Amino acid sequence: MKYSKIIKTQREFFNSNQTKDLGFRITQLKKFKSLLKEHETEFYKAIYSDFKKSEFDTYSSEMYFVYDEINTAIKKLPKWAKRKRNKTNMANLPASSFTVVEPLGVCLVIGTWNYPYHLSLVPLITAIAAGNTVILKPSEIPSETSTVMAKLINDNFPHEFLYVIEGSIPETTELLKERFDKIFFSGSTAIGRIVYQAAAKHLTPVTLELSGKSPAIITKDTNIKETAKRIIWAKFLNAGQTCIAPDYLLVEKAIEKELLIALKTQIEVFDYAYKNDNYVQIINARNFSRLEALIDREHLYCGGQTNAKTRFISPTILSDVNFEDPIMKDEIFGPLLPVISFTDIDVIIQEIKTRPKPLSLYIFTKNKSLRDKILHEVSFGGGAINDAVMHISNNNLAFGGVGESGMGSYHGEAGFKNFSHYKSILQKPFGFEPNFKYPPYTKKKLGWIKRILRN
Ligand code: NAD
């Protein structure tokens, strides 16, 4: 098979035990950080030429996350990787119990296009921190970002340790035929299914960071101005091409009009326009046409300007939408924000629960019992109260989906655990031990066992 040789080389390197050494891992993480700093300008140029993403946006939503993950791993690695003591149960005494933390082996990371650095390099960093070797397959869609990552990694690290394979469906399909010790995939739910099936053939563990429609619920007692500001920022960041962007709003009827005005005002304040760098392009013509077709002029509240040549779609709000409208069928993944009003929170909760579990959910309310009711009744990957998207930036919180929005999580220690195996060990001393468990069995021994185990 096409990639067997590089995988074999990585497996041999992994089996040499070099990556198990914490000093080796920390050196590689430090090297990665200084290379990134050295080449940061090339990274900014590449992403700007792919979809006009500015240095501000790229630093705050991509590079920062990579540096943060490196810094956290360097600081916390000795604690995370340490042997852990466990209690020993009565049946095994005298003995001691502990857990050895070990890397999994050769890992495949498959990235996606919307945050090409963040979603390729954060899992790669985490896999290095946990002591693995890594093959990275970035998304081919922002081709300049794929090339710049391949160059940085392939020119500066031994290929038996880290290697980037650029390509699209044929290359990924070939790669997925191979046996890995872990596959970490970010992307759509449809491709997640393909990855999961391929992994099943080798019983390879997978983490799937997938997609879904993430609602934001806004109740009448919210702070309307602050809510509008936070929602508009979260939705139109990256022109809505964010897996955890609020996909649609569920607004209590009593404040619908006031909120719509505040949302529109906020769009004007933020000054999104093709001519400035507050706003990115739609990634490609295919997504541009898909999104343009979703703008139902009958529901247009504001925005709706499009330009196929520059792949620009202005921030657009659609009002009086209901759950049966076409825009409510699939994840929008673009700068269109449908608003649905409600009077009964229980109806809304049921509507959400009849659909696939969202990747994120946001609640804007001052009503704590309502907040707790939603948190108690609705299953979703993660989210925020009175904010949106920002939960991803706290690497003390595990990030991941549930159900169709994904399986497994990462960021900080959650990521380290995801790329590690926890090996459980029971250690017995020689010498004294009660003889009850050994044959020949007698009534007297059974009596002792029952007395000791007390069940
Ligand atoms: P995608 O699933 O089409 O592509 C992701 C990766 O899979 C790419 O590297 C691509 O080359 C590869 N791929 C595509 N088709 C394949 C096939 N048939 N066989 C094997 N590999 C294949 O996703 P996309 O359209 O690039 O990204 C958008 C989606 O990703 C959205 O749905 C978004 O919500 C989701 N996403 C999720 C997260 C998360 O963390 N949960 C983050 C970003 C994006």
Side-chain angles (χ1 to χ4, degrees):
M1 282 186 287
K2 197 173 168 191
Y3 299 114
S4 302
K5 199 167 157 222
I6 180 68
I7 290 154
K8 184 169 175 273
T9 320
Q10 286 216 349
R11 188 154 278 119
E12 280 165 8
F13 183 68
F14 178 76
N15 285 337
S16 75
N17 297 321
Q18 291 181 60
T19 63
K20 290 186 180 166
D21 179 60
L22 288 197
F24 172 87
R25 300 186 210 177
I26 289 170
T27 306
Q28 303 309 315
L29 291 170
K30 285 183 175 163
K31 179 176 166 183
F32 208 100
K33 183 176 167 182
S34 70
L35 280 166
L36 268 184
K37 292 247 177 234
E38 200 185 310
H39 294 273
E40 217 178 84
T41 315
E42 291 154 45
F43 276 56
Y44 293 136
K45 274 191 193 148
I47 202 164
Y48 196 85
S49 78
D50 279 329
F51 62 119
K52 206 172 115 2
K53 188 160 177 168
S54 69
E55 182 173 337
F56 188 97
D57 267 358
T58 308
Y59 176 76
S60 58
S61 66
E62 308 240 19
M63 305 307 278
Y64 161 75
F65 283 81
V66 183
Y67 289 131
D68 191 37
E69 209 62 46
I70 294 176
N71 294 340
T72 308
I74 290 171
K75 197 164 142 211
K76 302 275 180 67
L77 201 46
K79 187 172 164 229
W80 291 345
K82 211 170 157 183
R83 251 182 214 194
K84 290 158 181 53
R85 283 171 69 95
N86 302 79
K87 281 188 179 167
T88 303
N89 62 337
M90 187 69 101
N92 280 300
L93 290 175
S96 60
S97 302
F98 56 92
T99 303
V100 178
V101 187
E102 66 177 22
L104 293 171
V106 181
C107 300
L108 172 65
V109 172
I110 304 176
T112 187
W113 59 262
N114 58 331
Y115 290 84
Y117 300 138
H118 178 157
L119 298 170
S120 298
L121 300 182
V122 170
L124 176 125
I125 292 301
T126 314
I128 297 174
N132 300 283
T133 70
V134 189
I135 290 182
L136 167 66
K137 208 300 289 175
S139 170
E140 70 284 10
I141 294 175
S143 58
E144 298 285 323
T145 63
S146 170
T147 305
V148 91
M149 284 188 279
K151 197 166 160 27
L152 180 113
I153 292 169
N154 293 351
D155 287 357
N156 293 290
F157 289 92
H159 297 179
E160 62 268 32
F161 172 48
L162 300 178
Y163 190 59
V164 178
I165 293 173
E166 290 191 88
S168 56
I169 300 177
E171 289 78 8
T172 322
T173 306
E174 273 306 307
L175 266 171
L176 287 171
K177 288 179 187 161
E178 301 287 344
R179 181 173 71 82
F180 290 93
D181 300 295
K182 169 88 194 179
I183 299 177
F184 187 104
F185 171 83
S186 300
S188 61
T189 301
I191 308 302
R193 286 200 171 89
I194 296 176
V195 172
Y196 201 12
Q197 274 174 2
K201 224 176 274 169
H202 301 287
L203 287 180
T204 299
V206 292
T207 298
L208 302 174
E209 299 287 343
L210 308 177
S211 55
K213 282 181 94 61
S214 301
I217 302 170
I218 303 147
T219 69
K220 62 179 184 227
D221 58 9
T222 194
N223 176 325
I224 292 185
K225 204 170 165 211
E226 284 293 317
T227 300
K229 188 165 139 195
R230 292 174 195 179
I231 285 177
I232 293 300
W233 174 82
K235 176 70 188 186
F236 298 110
L237 173 74
N238 221 33
Q241 301 165 114
T242 303
C243 56
I244 51 170
D247 186 272
Y248 62 101
L249 305 187
L250 296 165
V251 184
E252 202 161 1
K253 188 84 191 152
I255 55 153
E256 186 190 12
K257 275 201 184 118
E258 210 185 327
L259 184 78
L260 281 167
I261 293 168
L263 292 169
K264 186 169 181 273
T265 307
Q266 200 60 59
I267 290 174
E268 286 155 14
V269 170
F270 285 165
D271 191 21
Y272 297 106
Y274 182 74
K275 65 175 173 7
N276 65 33
D277 283 337
N278 297 341
Y279 202 51
V280 307
Q281 290 176 296
I282 302 304
I283 188 72
N284 55 20
R286 191 171 68 86
N287 273 292
F288 178 87
S289 315
R290 179 183 63 79
L291 289 162
E292 201 178 31
L294 285 175
I295 305 175
D296 179 346
R297 302 274 155 187
E298 275 183 26
H299 290 290
L300 189 64
Y301 178 78
C302 68
Q305 291 87 20
T306 64
N307 182 333
K309 214 171 125 208
T310 55
R311 301 199 311 273
F312 171 82
I313 298 180
S314 66
T316 298
I317 297 181
L318 302 159
S319 58
D320 287 326
V321 174
N322 65 58
F323 279 101
E324 280 65 50
D325 287 330
I327 199 160
M328 291 305 295
K329 288 221 163 59
D330 296 311
E331 180 192 23
I332 299 167
F333 219 54
L336 317 177
L337 183 60
V339 179
I340 298 177
S341 65
F342 71 89
T343 47
D344 184 345
I345 192 69
D346 287 306
V347 173
I348 286 308
I349 289 176
Q350 285 318 310
E351 285 286 359
I352 299 172
K353 287 173 82 162
T354 58
R355 293 169 163 75
K357 294 179 180 181
L359 179 57
S360 301
L361 185 143
Y362 306 112
I363 310 167
F364 290 82
T365 190
K366 288 180 191 158
N367 182 335
K368 288 190 176 143
S369 64
L370 194 81
R371 173 200 70 187
D372 291 341
K373 176 183 167 70
I374 297 167
L375 293 180
H376 180 66
E377 293 184 19
V378 185
S379 179
F380 55 92
I385 314 294
N386 302 330
D387 208 349
V389 167
M390 288 304 290
H391 61 297
I392 197 175
S393 67
N394 176 2
N395 76 10
N396 298 300
L397 287 172
F399 177 80
V402 58
E404 286 193 26
S405 59
M407 63 177 72
S409 57
Y410 69 133
H411 289 184
E413 191 171 11
F416 178 86
K417 284 182 175 165
N418 205 337
F419 281 98
S420 302
H421 170 63
Y422 287 69
K423 195 157 64 183
S424 300
I425 305 295
L426 176 80
Q427 178 171 287
K428 284 285 241 187
F430 289 113
F432 169 78
E433 72 168 335
N435 259 329
F436 318 131
K437 78 175 185 200
Y438 298 110
Y441 303 132
T442 61
K443 274 212 158 127
K444 198 173 165 195
K445 283 184 179 175
L446 184 62
W448 273 108
I449 279 186
K450 284 186 173 174
R451 224 168 298 156
I452 288 171
L453 300 183
R454 285 193 210 102
N455 283 321

